[in-house]
Amino acid sequence: MTMHEPLHPGEIVKDALIDGAGLSVTEAASKLDISRTALSRLLNCHVSISPEMALRLSKLLRTSIEMWINIQAQYDTWKIRKMSDKIKVKPLRKAA
């Protein structure tokens, strides 16, 4: 099954906070109680959503932590599947 490239979670956060809620990066960072730099790194797709960030987003946007963790996991799964051929691990033999 071929998976299409999902959006980086930072793009989804940007859509929700900056485009959707009309906040500036500085305002959104303040509401999340994080530095502007930390939020900027997420919005520019340089870092992943950590469990702590998932909690902060869930509180601010009234969503679940699991939603943000799942968005990140789906992105990570897609990304690592692209590398599948480069990882040379042989399965264990079944016991006789």
Side-chain angles (χ1 to χ4, degrees), residues 16 53-68 71:
M53 180 61 78
L55 174 60
R56 291 173 186 276
L57 290 166
S58 72
K59 286 184 169 210
L60 181 63
L61 297 170
R62 296 182 180 181
T63 58
S64 70
I65 297 170
E66 292 82 5
M67 182 189 93
W68 295 106
I71 289 170

Side-chain angles (χ1 to χ4, degrees), residues 7-25 28 32 39-40 42-45 49 57 60-61 63 67-68 71:
L7 291 174
H8 184 280
E11 295 177 89
I12 297 168
V13 173
K14 181 180 181 287
D15 185 53
L17 295 178
I18 310 304
D19 301 335
L23 299 172
S24 69
V25 175
L32 289 165
L39 181 57
S40 181
L42 175 60
L43 299 180
N44 290 309
C45 308
I49 292 178
L57 290 166
L60 181 63
L61 297 170
T63 58
M67 182 189 93
W68 295 106
I71 289 170

Side-chain angles (χ1 to χ4, degrees), residues 13-92:
V13 173
K14 181 180 181 287
D15 185 53
L17 295 178
I18 310 304
D19 301 335
L23 299 172
S24 69
V25 175
T26 302
E27 291 168 330
S30 177
K31 290 187 180 299
L32 289 165
D33 196 26
I34 60 172
S35 72
R36 186 187 189 291
T37 301
L39 181 57
S40 181
R41 289 181 45 77
L42 175 60
L43 299 180
N44 290 309
C45 308
H46 297 298
V47 297
S48 301
I49 292 178
S50 67
E52 180 181 326
M53 180 61 78
L55 174 60
R56 291 173 186 276
L57 290 166
S58 72
K59 286 184 169 210
L60 181 63
L61 297 170
R62 296 182 180 181
T63 58
S64 70
I65 297 170
E66 292 82 5
M67 182 189 93
W68 295 106
I69 296 294
N70 288 336
I71 289 170
Q72 185 64 56
Q74 288 171 2
Y75 181 79
D76 291 344
T77 299
W78 171 82
K79 195 171 164 183
I80 199 67
R81 279 197 175 135
K82 291 187 348 180
M83 294 179 48
S84 180
D85 292 340
K86 295 178 184 175
I87 297 174
K88 305 296 182 192
V89 176
K90 294 182 181 182
L92 293 174

